[in-house]
Amino acid sequence: MKEYFDKLIKENSQIQSFFKHFIYLSEVDSTNTFAKNLTEKEHGICIYSSNQRFGKGRNNRTWFSKRDDSLAMSMVLEYIDHKQSSLIPIATSIAVNKTLDKWGIKSKIKWPNDILVNSRKISGILCELDYLPNNKNFIIVGLGININNSEADFVSDNRIDYKISPTSMMMEIGEKIDIRNFIKDLLNQLVITYTDLKSRQFDALINYYKDHWHDMDKKIQVSLGNKLVEGIAKDIKKDGSLVLEIDSGIKEILAGEIISS
Ligand code: BTN
């Protein structure tokens, strides 16, 4: 796999110019933890592992990965302001949605950044901010995609409590996916979408997101740490926040988790 990545990056100037440092790990606890622990961070570091053993999910959950059959990668991105950082998760979910589309899989994005196919989760994104004293702000974007997992794989690990029933590309298409070709398409799409974000194409990104938004007009419950808010999902603002219609009016939520819809 390492040779494959070396060749892919050498032969693809767009990927090479964005992802300046590509680190392949045959095994790791978590690509996000590995990225966070890097002493020297730089924009465009990408870490990929064929065997992530202790993947981290959102809200302290465990993320299931299987050697060679799941995609687990983390990217280190520098952001210049809050507007960009708040849209990085949105941009990442758009890139995943577009790549899946190219592979014949229609997906929807559950706010803020779960990728669903027929209401089952095919991909999750974990973004962690990393402040450094030298004035550079980085965000670690962890991306997990279920590629060649079978139904049995998902129940094989009893550490995992699936809030949303999982699915994989193979389960959706009905045949094994060439993960190398998929990664090539994904990296290309990530570069395109992050370039749109860098050139501040915020409206286009939000409009695309809203066109592929799972929760629109649904009655949902959102967990805000220790508080639960219920309402109708109405809109996504330009900073990626969720607009909820609640009994007493309108509530904007920048960060939270939809726990039922
Ligand atoms: C979620 O939906 O809960 C987010 C899942 C994020 C999983 C990815 S896999 C690669 C990266 N490394 C981790 O430990 N987690 C993220």
Side-chain angles (χ1 to χ4, degrees):
M1 198 72 168
K2 170 150 182 15
E3 294 72 39
Y4 172 74
F5 279 120
D6 289 345
K7 190 163 171 283
L8 171 67
I9 288 152
K10 210 166 126 199
E11 286 173 359
N12 191 313
S13 56
Q14 257 191 319
I15 297 179
Q16 195 181 38
S17 64
F18 189 91
F19 293 115
K20 297 216 170 47
H21 302 280
F22 205 95
I23 303 170
Y24 170 75
L25 304 166
S26 55
E27 189 167 286
V28 72
D29 51 354
S30 148
T31 53
N32 261 42
T33 307
F34 186 94
K36 272 179 102 172
N37 289 342
L38 288 171
T39 43
E40 284 185 35
K41 296 198 179 61
E42 219 181 288
H43 180 72
I45 296 177
C46 183
I47 295 139
Y48 185 95
S49 180
S50 298
N51 190 22
Q52 175 173 257
R53 295 169 59 234
F54 303 103
K56 293 191 296 179
R58 293 180 72 220
N59 298 318
N60 294 321
R61 283 194 289 270
T62 305
W63 176 259
F64 172 76
S65 294
K66 187 175 174 221
R67 183 197 296 265
D68 297 327
D69 286 338
S70 309
L71 182 148
M73 63 185 259
S74 297
M75 296 159 283
V76 178
L77 304 178
E78 188 186 346
Y79 61 92
I80 53 163
D81 55 24
H82 174 67
K83 183 125 198 185
Q84 267 187 353
S85 67
S86 62
L87 290 187
I88 287 174
I90 299 268
T92 310
S93 55
I94 290 173
V96 175
N97 168 283
K98 286 189 173 175
T99 315
L100 289 173
D101 197 29
K102 190 173 174 202
W103 281 69
I105 297 176
K106 298 272 174 239
S107 65
K108 293 268 184 193
I109 309 167
K110 185 180 170 77
W111 186 84
N113 47 31
D114 285 338
I115 315 297
L116 308 186
V117 179
N118 298 321
S119 299
R120 296 180 74 177
K121 184 157 160 176
I122 199 163
S123 168
I125 296 162
L126 173 69
C127 291
E128 298 181 277
L129 294 178
D130 191 277
Y131 300 103
L132 285 184
N134 64 358
N135 284 333
K136 282 197 170 180
N137 292 321
F138 292 106
I139 183 164
I140 314 286
V141 183
L143 173 55
I145 307 180
N146 303 326
I147 310 274
N148 283 319
N149 309 93
S150 64
E151 197 91 58
D153 290 340
F154 292 120
V155 290
S156 64
D157 190 334
N158 57 18
R159 291 174 306 166
I160 320 264
D161 168 24
Y162 294 104
K163 292 276 175 241
I164 306 170
S165 157
T167 188
S168 72
M169 289 183 72
M170 184 176 79
M171 284 160 62
E172 294 304 322
I173 291 180
E175 60 187 54
K176 221 171 153 121
I177 305 299
D178 182 336
I179 194 163
R180 296 179 175 202
N181 276 335
F182 180 78
I183 292 167
K184 184 174 83 197
D185 287 344
L186 177 69
L187 291 175
N188 270 310
Q189 190 57 61
L190 284 165
V191 173
I192 294 169
T193 316
Y194 289 147
T195 308
D196 287 347
L197 183 61
K198 195 164 179 233
S199 56
R200 306 183 86 78
Q201 312 274 321
F202 302 136
D203 287 350
L205 287 166
I206 289 292
N207 287 340
Y208 184 93
Y209 184 97
K210 286 204 274 191
D211 285 346
H212 298 82
W213 186 29
H214 171 79
D215 317 291
M216 178 74 180
D217 283 333
K218 290 198 172 85
K219 188 169 183 185
I220 58 173
Q221 283 186 322
V222 187
S223 159
L224 310 171
N226 54 3
K227 222 174 105 193
L228 211 59
V229 196
E230 195 175 280
I232 313 278
K234 278 294 169 200
D235 199 7
I236 300 291
K237 302 276 286 189
K238 283 184 181 174
D239 62 355
S241 54
L242 168 72
V243 179
L244 202 61
E245 194 180 85
I246 57 173
D247 285 347
S248 55
I250 289 289
K251 189 170 176 63
E252 286 179 21
I253 302 170
L254 190 55
E257 183 179 42
I258 298 177
I259 57 160
S260 73
S261 58

